[in-house]
C-alpha cells in the first residue's frame, strides 16, 4: 500500500500557526491534504502533529491523525526524516504496513497532483532507486554566484566559472520542498535522500516557493492566485 505522511507540528515562530493559517481562503495544510487525496495514489493520508488544533483542522479536510507526535520530535531542530520514520513506526503498530511512503510538506499550496503521480510512476518503474522527490532548476547558474569580499566589494564564489556562458555550465537543481516519495524501508534505514539512488521530479519555477517568512507567504499567495487565473483561462 501507499501512505502519505504530512508533517505539521504546532509551533512556528516566524509565522504563528503557519500550518493552519488561512492561505487564499483555507488552511495552508488543506492544500497538501487535497492534493494527496485527489491524486488517487494513497490508501491513507496521515498527518503527524503534536498539536490538537492542527489535528482537528487536518481531520476536517479529510486526513487521518491516528497518533500524536511525541514532543521530542516537535522542536525546531528535529529533521523531517526522523518525523517520517516515527510516523511509519506508529502506523506499523496500528497494522498499517506501507511499501511506498510519500512525505508531503504541509506548506506546499502550489503542489499539483500530477507531480505526485509522476514521482510514484518513476519510483515504481525503477526498483533499484530508493526515492523520488521534487526539484526545480536554479533561476541563475550557481557556478557564477558572487560573495561579499572582506573589503566590502564582491568576488566570484567559483572564479573558474565566472567567465563561462550560462549554456556551457551544467544544469543545477535544488530541492523544491514539496514531496519525497520513498520506499518505507529506505526511510527506516535512514538512507540519504540527496544521493544517486534518488530520482528528480522537475517542477517549473512558478510552482515552487518556500514559506518560511511573511514575505515568502505573500509571494506564495501571489503565485497561487496567478496560477489559478491562468488555469481558469486555459479551461474556459
Amino acid at each position: 500500500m501507499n501512505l502519505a505522511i504530512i508533517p505539521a507540528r504546532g509551533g512556528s515562530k516566524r509565522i504563528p500557526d503557519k500550518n493552519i493559517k488561512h492561505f487564499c481562503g483555507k488552511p495552508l495544510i488543506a492544500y497538501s491534504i487535497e492534493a494527496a487525496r485527489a491524486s488517487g495514489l494513497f490508501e491513507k493520508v496521515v498527518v503527524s502533529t503534536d498539536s490538537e488544533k492542527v489535528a482537528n483542522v487536518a481531520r476536517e479536510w479529510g486526513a487521518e491523525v491516528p497518533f500524536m507526535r511525541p514532543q521530542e520530535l516537535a522542536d525546531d531542530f528535529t529533521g523531517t526524516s526522523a518525523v517520517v520514520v516515527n510516523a511509519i513506526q506508529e502506523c506499523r503498530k496500528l497494522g498499517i504496513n506501507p511499501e511506498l511512503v510519500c512525505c508531503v510538506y504541509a506548506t506546499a499550496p502550489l503542489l499539483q497532483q500530477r507531480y505526485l503521480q509522476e514521482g510514484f510512476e518513476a519510483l515504481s518503474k525503477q526498483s533499484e532507486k530508493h526515492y523520488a522527490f521534487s526539484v526545480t532548476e536554479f533561476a541563475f547558474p550557481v557556478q557564477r554566484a558572487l560573495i561579499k569580499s572582506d573589503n566590502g566589494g564582491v568576488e566570484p564564489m567559483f572564479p573558474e566559472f565566472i567567465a563561462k556562458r550560462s549554456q556551457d555550465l551544467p544544469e543545477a537543481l535544488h530541492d523544491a520542498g514539496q514531496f519525497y516519495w520513498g520506499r518505507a524501508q529506505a526511510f527506516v534505514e535512514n538512507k540519504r535522500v540527496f544521493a544517486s539512488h534518488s530520482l528528480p521530479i522537475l517542477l517549473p519555477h512558478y510552482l515552487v516557493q518556500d514559506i518560511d517568512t511573511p514575505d515568502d507567504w505573500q509571494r506564495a499567495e501571489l503565485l497561487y492566485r496567478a496560477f489559478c487565473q491562468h488555469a481558469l483561462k486555459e479551461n474556459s
Side-chain angles (χ1 to χ4, degrees):
M1 67 167 289
N2 299 332
L3 173 69
I5 297 172
I6 303 177
R9 69 188 182 97
S12 178
K13 294 183 174 64
R14 287 178 290 187
I15 304 176
D17 287 329
K18 177 173 68 172
N19 289 321
I20 55 174
K21 178 181 169 69
H22 272 231
F23 178 99
C24 292
K26 58 189 175 186
L28 184 60
I29 194 174
Y31 295 89
S32 297
I33 294 171
E34 288 183 328
R37 296 184 68 199
S39 72
L41 295 168
F42 305 105
E43 282 81 358
K44 289 185 178 293
V45 176
V46 169
V47 169
S48 168
T49 185
D50 61 314
S51 164
E52 288 290 350
K53 186 159 52 170
V54 172
N56 289 335
V57 172
R59 292 186 184 105
E60 288 172 8
W61 287 90
E64 298 181 42
V65 189
F67 56 86
M68 298 299 290
R69 191 195 305 183
Q71 287 300 314
E72 61 267 24
L73 295 180
D75 58 26
D76 293 334
F77 306 103
T78 301
T80 301
S81 295
V83 174
V84 172
V85 170
N86 170 258
I88 293 171
Q89 292 170 337
E90 291 297 324
C91 283
R92 285 176 172 175
K93 291 177 186 177
L94 297 170
I96 304 166
N97 295 294
E99 179 182 350
L100 295 181
V101 170
C102 188
C103 171
V104 181
Y105 275 179
T107 53
L110 294 164
L111 173 62
Q112 303 297 300
Q113 65 187 60
R114 67 180 180 273
Y115 295 111
L116 286 174
Q117 292 165 339
E118 185 179 335
F120 168 71
E121 291 167 6
L123 188 59
S124 298
K125 290 176 182 176
Q126 299 197 42
S127 59
E128 76 282 3
K129 300 296 185 184
H130 297 315
Y131 302 103
F133 68 99
S134 58
V135 302
T136 194
E137 298 174 352
F138 279 95
F140 185 83
V142 293
Q143 301 92 335
R144 291 172 55 190
L146 303 174
I147 57 174
K148 291 181 180 179
S149 57
D150 294 338
N151 65 4
V154 297
E155 58 187 52
M157 183 178 288
F158 307 106
E160 66 272 29
F161 297 124
I162 197 65
K164 294 277 189 180
R165 300 184 307 165
S166 298
Q167 57 265 44
D168 294 331
L169 295 169
E171 175 187 64
L173 307 172
H174 67 83
D175 179 13
Q178 291 194 0
F179 64 85
Y180 308 84
W181 274 102
R183 305 189 189 283
Q185 200 55 33
F187 280 116
V188 171
E189 293 175 2
N190 200 30
K191 294 187 183 294
R192 291 182 301 118
V193 175
F194 306 134
S196 59
H197 53 233
S198 298
L199 297 164
I201 306 302
L202 186 63
L203 276 56
H205 290 145
Y206 61 82
L207 289 179
V208 177
Q209 175 62 48
D210 282 341
I211 304 180
D212 293 320
T213 67
D215 182 68
D216 292 340
W217 185 284
Q218 184 175 10
R219 178 177 171 80
E221 285 196 318
L222 291 170
L223 285 171
Y224 180 81
R225 290 191 179 106
F227 176 74
C228 288
Q229 289 175 355
H230 175 72
L232 283 173
K233 286 180 181 178
E234 282 204 331
N235 294 327
S236 62

